[in-house]
Amino acid sequence: MADKINAVKGMNDILPASVPRIDRLPDSALWSWFEQTVRGLLARYGYQYMLTPVVEPTALFVRGLGEVTDIVEKEMYSFTDAMNGDKLTLRPEATAGIVRAMVEHNALYNGPLRLWTMGPMFRHERPQKGRYRQFHQLDVEALGFPGPDVDAELILMVRALWRELGLAEGEHVRLEINSLGQPAERQAHREALIRHFEAHADLLDADAQRRLHSNPLRILDTKNPAMQAVVEAAPQLMDFLGEESRAHFDAVRAVLDAAGLAYRVNPRLVRGMDYYNLTVFEWVTDQLGSQGTVCGGGRYDGLIGQMGGKPAPAVGFGLGIERLLLLIQELRLPVPAAAPAAYAIVPSAAALPQVMVVLEQLRAAGVSVLQHAGGGSMKAQFKKADASGARYALVFGEDELSRGEVIVKPLREGGGEQVARSLSEVPTWAATLQSPASRETPGRSQVSRSPSGGGSGTPDPGGSSTY
């Protein structure tokens, strides 16, 4: 046998729940449920879907994220194209690519845009729980809007997403906010930070010493316990904010207060990229160990101009999908089952042409039906039907087919009695398979019968003489 080839470390397969696996990654059904929830929510807020390439010019991220950031210095998957010598990078985040696309296509010519995308990102770092080399992000951006109203809208949108997913703000996730002010205010704060950290240079680790004069604000984001005291004593940016920056931040807070959303003003909150100004925010959790940030974002009014476009304000956020789904699993929150509405049991292979036409009619009517394949006894097929999670079994026995009927048997509690349905009237009863609330009361052509199974009389797994 040939040697097995495994996936690249830190780049994972998302598999169906029915496939056994040794890791605790979310399955594809949980993933699909999340995507469907996101699509519905963002449509209600008026955000439009877009896609950007996975590979971008390296210069895009160096210019957009900042040369002295962990992502650019340590984590990017960069390479030189052997065909033409272009320097390329697998995207480590989505915002820079979206802004590049807006500038390239002059997309803001007709006014502001609300956009979102979702897909894989790549960072070369040590894989751990909730942190992978290929990970997936939901990225939401509002471009061309200057006011605090859209900052607050994005934050409230994330709260709405938590609620739809079953997460409770303040209990499972909590909000932290801050203001980074404007460039001139950050410059004054930067100079004060440098003076402070120079006076305590002996307490700084190697990363902090390297960033002391290039990006001292990032020192505030250190996770080094030995540096926490000197960081806590550092000058706070809030003390350097001017009247307009404070008014912007106060307006965001006023909306959150009116909406009853609790938050903590964290004066040490900074984001990992250089392009942020004014409002920044993070949704964090205590349930995932050190990987506490589930969603983060803020305003970046200078990035569009920095990328060569006509200067325009912008605000957005990114959400780590794997990390969020791990949180949902950790909390054992209820998730809708990804089960078919019905499972088709076909005792005789000779009946397949007739049966499959009926199943296509049901699917065309919007009913999800899983067809049993490979033959087998009625008992074996019922076991498969039960294991599928389907609400109903559709039993196409020989006697039923000769009468032009199929037996619809509930497989779950509260499903009612089994009934016979006419094969010539599939569109009229298809919807009754969708939910318990929409089931019809058996009528004249839907009398309760036991499926014949070709007259086999084989008992079902529960020992009943009918199915």
Side-chain angles (χ1 to χ4, degrees):
M1 292 179 64
D3 291 339
K4 229 177 19 173
I5 299 177
N6 294 328
V8 176
K9 184 177 182 181
M11 300 186 181
N12 304 297
D13 302 306
I14 305 300
L15 303 172
S18 58
V19 178
R21 59 190 306 164
I22 59 175
D23 56 47
R24 298 186 64 242
L25 288 164
D27 59 57
S28 59
L30 182 60
W31 201 279
S32 295
W33 167 68
F34 170 76
E35 288 187 351
Q36 291 167 7
T37 303
V38 163
R39 288 180 185 278
L41 177 73
L42 291 173
R44 295 198 297 276
Y45 279 82
Y47 283 72
Q48 301 176 76
Y49 182 57
M50 70 170 292
L51 291 168
T52 61
V54 171
V55 179
E56 296 272 14
T58 300
L60 172 69
F61 302 111
V62 175
R63 189 192 304 181
L65 307 186
E67 292 187 49
V68 191
T69 58
D70 282 346
I71 295 175
V72 172
E73 289 183 322
K74 305 175 183 178
E75 299 172 359
M76 293 201 312
Y77 279 95
S78 299
F79 60 96
T80 300
D81 190 331
M83 298 290 289
N84 55 20
D86 288 348
K87 295 186 182 301
L88 305 175
T89 294
L90 297 178
R91 62 184 184 189
E93 60 96 50
T95 302
I98 289 177
V99 171
R100 188 268 313 148
M102 296 298 100
V103 172
E104 181 175 342
H105 301 288
N106 197 22
L108 296 180
Y109 179 80
N110 291 322
L113 289 171
R114 288 176 166 92
L115 304 168
W116 71 278
T117 191
M118 187 158 42
M121 313 292 159
F122 303 85
R123 296 185 191 176
H124 194 285
E125 52 189 346
R126 184 171 64 87
Q128 52 188 296
K129 180 181 178 181
R131 196 178 185 101
Y132 308 109
R133 290 176 175 171
Q134 176 178 313
F135 59 101
H136 296 75
Q137 273 192 349
L138 165 65
D139 194 83
V140 181
E141 312 290 351
L143 308 174
F145 299 94
D149 49 353
V150 180
D151 301 22
E153 174 185 90
L154 287 170
I155 294 172
L156 293 175
M157 178 197 299
V158 179
R159 180 179 71 169
L161 177 61
W162 298 153
R163 291 179 173 182
E164 292 207 15
L165 297 175
L167 293 164
E169 68 271 12
E171 179 183 356
H172 302 138
V173 287
R174 64 182 187 277
L175 175 64
E176 296 188 349
I177 62 173
N178 191 22
S179 176
L180 299 183
Q182 298 291 11
E185 296 157 357
R186 285 202 307 279
Q187 180 61 28
H189 177 241
R190 180 183 186 277
E191 293 169 0
L193 278 180
I194 291 174
R195 290 193 298 269
H196 171 77
F197 287 127
E198 282 180 335
H200 300 87
D202 57 323
L203 300 176
L204 303 183
D205 59 21
D207 268 352
Q209 290 178 3
R210 180 171 51 80
R211 288 175 169 159
L212 178 56
H213 293 93
S214 60
N215 196 352
L217 192 65
R218 295 289 292 122
I219 299 177
L220 300 177
D221 200 31
T222 181
K223 302 299 188 290
N224 185 346
M227 289 179 52
Q228 292 308 306
V230 69
V231 165
E232 287 299 320
Q236 295 189 10
L237 178 54
M238 196 70 67
D239 296 331
F240 293 80
L241 297 186
E243 185 177 338
E244 289 188 7
S245 294
R246 286 183 177 275
H248 186 104
F249 191 51
D250 289 344
V252 173
R253 295 182 62 184
V255 174
L256 302 184
D257 291 340
L261 175 52
Y263 57 85
R264 180 172 81 95
V265 176
N266 179 358
R268 305 302 179 193
L269 174 61
V270 297
R271 299 291 300 143
M273 283 71 106
D274 283 357
Y275 50 62
Y276 285 105
N277 71 301
L278 292 175
T279 310
V280 290
F281 62 90
E282 288 186 353
W283 287 90
V284 298
T285 181
D286 298 321
Q287 305 291 327
L288 296 176
S290 62
Q291 305 306 317
T293 302
V294 180
C295 171
R299 182 161 285 280
Y300 52 95
D301 292 337
L303 185 59
I304 294 176
Q306 188 178 326
M307 291 296 186
K310 182 180 178 181
V315 60
F317 68 80
L319 182 155
I321 298 175
E322 284 94 341
R323 198 174 295 180
L324 174 60
L325 298 186
L326 280 171
L327 174 61
I328 289 172
Q329 290 178 314
E330 198 79 21
L331 296 170
R332 301 184 182 278
L333 298 178
V335 175
Y343 189 101
I345 293 173
V346 190
S348 171
L352 282 173
Q354 183 180 6
V355 169
M356 293 182 72
V357 168
V358 174
L359 300 187
E360 288 301 292
Q361 288 180 282
L362 287 170
R363 291 165 183 147
V367 181
S368 58
V369 185
L370 184 60
Q371 178 186 324
H372 183 84
S377 68
M378 290 276 280
K379 183 173 183 179
Q381 291 192 43
F382 263 110
K383 285 184 178 179
K384 292 282 188 180
D386 188 59
S388 75
R391 290 190 293 275
Y392 300 97
L394 304 178
V395 187
F396 293 90
E398 293 180 10
D399 290 348
E400 288 76 34
L401 289 175
S402 69
R403 294 192 297 266
E405 295 176 343
V406 59
I407 294 295
V408 179
K409 176 177 174 54
L411 296 174
R412 311 290 163 220
E413 288 185 11
E417 296 181 353
Q418 66 183 33
V419 296
R421 300 288 192 183
S422 170
L423 299 183
S424 63
E425 300 174 0
V426 172
T428 65
W429 54 265
T432 66
L433 302 178
Q434 294 285 34
S435 67
S438 64
R439 282 197 300 270
E440 298 174 0
T441 303
R444 184 174 179 183
S445 64
Q446 300 155 356
V447 294
S448 177
R449 292 198 184 99
S450 300
S452 67
S456 65
T458 308
D460 74 1
S464 169
S465 59
T466 63
Y467 296 87

